[in-house]
Amino acid sequence: MSKKKKNKNVTSIAIKLNAISVRDLFLKFLILNACLMFILIVLWCMDSEKRFFGEVVQNAQRHVDFYPIETATYTVTLDSGKTLVQNASEFLYVLRKIVIILGIIEGIFLLEEIIFGTAKVRKRLKPLNDIAETASRLSNMDFSEERFQSLEDAIAKISPVSTDERIHIGDSELHGLEDAINKLLDRMRDSYRQQARFVSDASHELRTPISVIQGYANMLDRWGKNDKEILDESIAAIKSESENMKNLVEQLLFLARGINGKTQLTRTEFLLNDMIGEVFEESKMIDQNHIYRYINSENISINGDSGLLKQTARILVENAAKYTESGGEIILKVGTNPKGEPYFYIQDNGIGIDNEDIPYIFERFFRADTARVRKNGGTGLGLSIAKWIIDSHKGFFSVLSRKEIGTRITVFLPKVDS
Ligand code: ADP
């Protein structure tokens, strides 16, 4: 395809855009010249008055008679009758020269813009041209029976889930289509892999409580029916493991619904202070092993799903309690950062998180590999749920943590007007 034809799609737009820009430039020059002339004339008049009267006089009658240039004068008459009649023709000749020189320079600029401007605009519009060109090539493409067949064959051969196989039609004109299908396949495989990993991780997590329950049931079956001690121990273990399993299944369901877009946000405007205040009161009541403190601020309105945001705050508080020794302090704070973005944070003086682990704590099923974390036996899903909620609100987290000193996890949310 010739270059001329290639750019045809945007040439008429480029000509129109350039005409507008030349017109704008011309008007700007015109206004600039008028202002310049006015300023020069005013300065010359002031200078004439200063030279004649020693100052720029007030309460005087002024008269400008600039046409014809040969006899042009500037007349100033004072109340006292003293009169200045200044010949202006010499000044006007100089002014005319200035305007002509300026006009020539500006004319050159305008001419350059007229001649080369369209090409410059066309270059800037090249991406548009490319799109138009591709669309027109696709619409003009001749799809013969044979081509359809080879495309169908190529697509039929590949599996969207199994391997990294890609389609290859072997027809240069179908290259764009081939590329698009391969990219789509890559994305489908990625999401399939993610799903598969999720299912395998979930099954793995469910295996432990099921094995424990099975173990106790077997023990009861063999020896425990008449042994009160074994009976009590087994019942307690089965209760606790089934509770863990219930939590895990609930969290998995939440994440699955979130991924499938089935969890919808019910947005309202409410005070962040009230929400965190409620979480503070609840936590104090449920957990008497830690000291809770709430640092409130002026009222901060936010727009969001109050139920889900409260769930996030609860997840953070529960973690703080889980990973902080009895008697430790847990602080809840609300405020706004210098950009005016509302935030709340939960801070503890517990075990802290290893620096290398911080980037992974929001990943599903991630748990730091420490005895304390293993002992507390969370599901590793709390923070991924919190992240899903905060991402859906277009907010973000910031994590500050030091081993054996404590952790502060801050949630930033968008300002109400944004
Ligand atoms: P879990 O149910 O295991 O608590 P989360 O997704 O809530 O799962 O947290 C992931 C991991 O991040 C935890 O297992 C723990 O290692 C670490 N973590 C989260 N919050 C804290 C905290 N306040 N102090 C120390 N470690 C934390």
Side-chain angles (χ1 to χ4, degrees):
M1 206 179 289
S2 75
K3 195 163 182 183
K4 210 170 172 187
K5 185 153 179 225
K6 248 187 172 181
N7 282 337
K8 202 184 80 192
N9 299 310
V10 288
T11 301
S12 60
I13 304 174
I15 291 174
K16 271 184 213 150
L17 285 180
N18 192 44
I20 294 172
S21 110
V22 169
R23 186 200 63 195
D24 287 353
L25 193 64
F26 176 72
L27 287 176
K28 273 183 207 153
F29 282 155
L30 220 61
I31 294 168
L32 195 79
N33 292 352
C35 290
L36 191 72
M37 273 166 69
F38 178 77
I39 292 169
L40 286 176
I41 291 171
V42 169
L43 286 176
W44 177 81
C45 291
M46 283 165 67
D47 185 57
S48 306
E49 281 178 35
K50 263 193 207 154
R51 265 189 280 131
F52 188 77
F53 297 114
E55 61 176 339
V56 177
V57 289
Q58 289 168 359
N59 302 328
Q61 281 181 354
R62 294 181 170 83
H63 182 68
V64 174
D65 185 7
F66 281 177
Y67 191 80
I69 291 185
E70 296 75 30
T71 57
T73 53
Y74 172 55
T75 314
V76 182
T77 313
L78 296 188
D79 291 345
S80 60
K82 196 172 178 189
T83 303
L84 154 74
V85 181
Q86 175 73 44
N87 183 335
S89 41
E90 204 177 312
F91 162 68
L92 288 180
Y93 282 126
V94 175
L95 193 62
R96 195 167 66 180
K97 262 189 213 152
I98 293 174
V99 172
I100 289 171
I101 292 170
L102 262 182
I104 291 172
I105 296 171
E106 290 166 354
I108 292 172
F109 269 113
L110 283 172
L111 212 65
E112 196 243 336
E113 209 51 29
I114 292 169
I115 297 172
F116 302 112
T118 307
K120 274 193 250 166
V121 178
R122 214 165 39 200
K123 210 167 164 186
R124 260 180 260 148
L125 292 181
K126 190 169 175 302
L128 262 188
N129 190 62
D130 292 348
I131 294 172
E133 207 194 303
T134 312
S136 111
R137 221 187 29 232
L138 280 177
S139 64
N140 291 333
M141 198 149 73
D142 135 51
F143 259 103
S144 65
E145 193 67 21
E146 253 167 69
R147 270 197 180 140
F148 261 128
Q149 198 57 50
S150 62
L151 186 61
E152 261 180 42
D153 286 351
I155 293 176
K157 267 193 226 140
I158 49 155
S159 151
V161 294
S162 60
T163 55
D164 277 337
E165 199 186 340
R166 320 189 100 230
I167 66 161
H168 182 66
I169 309 168
D171 184 324
S172 64
E173 283 205 47
L174 292 179
H175 183 73
L177 199 56
E178 190 182 288
D179 217 34
I181 294 177
N182 280 331
K183 278 189 187 137
L184 184 68
L185 271 172
D186 287 347
R187 267 189 286 148
M188 278 165 72
R189 281 177 183 143
D190 256 7
S191 111
Y192 176 77
R193 270 188 213 117
Q194 267 179 26
Q195 295 279 349
R197 212 187 91 194
F198 185 51
V199 173
S200 121
D201 287 349
S203 325
H204 188 78
E205 291 298 320
L206 280 167
R207 237 174 35 199
T208 317
I210 290 175
S211 307
V212 174
I213 291 174
Q214 219 172 20
Y216 276 102
N218 286 340
M219 191 160 86
L220 279 176
D221 193 26
R222 270 185 235 153
W223 310 291
K225 280 176 208 144
N226 305 314
D227 185 331
K228 172 128 182 17
E229 215 173 289
I230 293 187
L231 204 63
D232 284 347
E233 186 196 329
S234 304
I235 291 173
I238 289 171
K239 263 170 106 177
S240 129
E241 286 305 322
S242 53
E243 182 66 26
N244 283 350
M245 215 156 75
K246 194 181 118 214
N247 287 344
L248 180 62
V249 170
E250 269 169 11
Q251 289 181 320
L252 283 172
L253 270 176
F254 182 95
L255 280 174
R257 262 187 255 126
I259 296 164
N260 294 336
K262 284 192 185 136
T263 306
Q264 299 289 337
L265 302 193
T266 315
R267 284 177 175 276
T268 49
E269 204 171 312
F270 61 94
L271 288 180
L272 184 61
N273 319 64
D274 292 349
M275 188 196 84
I276 298 295
E278 284 164 28
V279 175
F280 166 67
E281 294 298 338
E282 273 169 28
S283 314
K284 248 187 348 182
M285 211 167 59
I286 302 169
D287 169 25
Q288 266 122 31
N289 293 331
H290 297 95
I291 302 158
Y292 285 88
R293 197 148 66 86
Y294 178 29
I295 308 177
N296 205 341
S297 75
E298 83 282 5
N299 281 347
I300 302 165
S301 258
I302 52 166
N303 185 299
D305 187 314
S306 61
L308 291 179
L309 289 173
K310 202 169 179 182
Q311 191 178 344
T312 304
R314 280 194 194 121
I315 290 171
L316 298 180
V317 171
E318 277 165 21
N319 277 351
K322 259 195 292 189
Y323 304 115
T324 304
E325 293 292 341
S326 227
E329 189 184 39
I330 296 170
I331 301 171
L332 293 78
K333 181 177 189 291
V334 293
T336 47
N337 70 2
K339 282 196 218 154
E341 289 163 332
Y343 71 80
F344 64 88
Y345 74 59
I346 315 294
Q347 178 178 312
D348 60 61
N349 54 0
I351 61 169
I353 310 171
D354 245 347
N355 247 346
E356 297 124 52
D357 286 341
I358 292 181
Y360 305 106
I361 59 171
F362 294 99
E363 280 185 11
R364 285 177 213 153
F365 300 111
F366 176 83
R367 272 167 293 188
D369 193 17
T370 66
R372 184 74 207 274
V373 170
R374 267 179 266 133
K375 192 179 95 201
N376 282 292
T379 58
L381 288 176
L383 286 183
S384 30
I385 291 180
K387 180 158 185 329
W388 182 88
I389 296 173
I390 298 309
D391 284 351
S392 316
H393 281 83
K394 303 213 159 33
F396 62 95
F397 284 91
S398 134
V399 180
L400 190 70
S401 187
R402 278 275 181 81
K403 276 303 254 185
E404 308 307 333
I405 292 183
T407 303
R408 178 197 285 174
I409 301 189
T410 313
V411 173
F412 289 95
L413 292 162
K415 277 199 264 187
V416 164
D417 47 26
S418 62

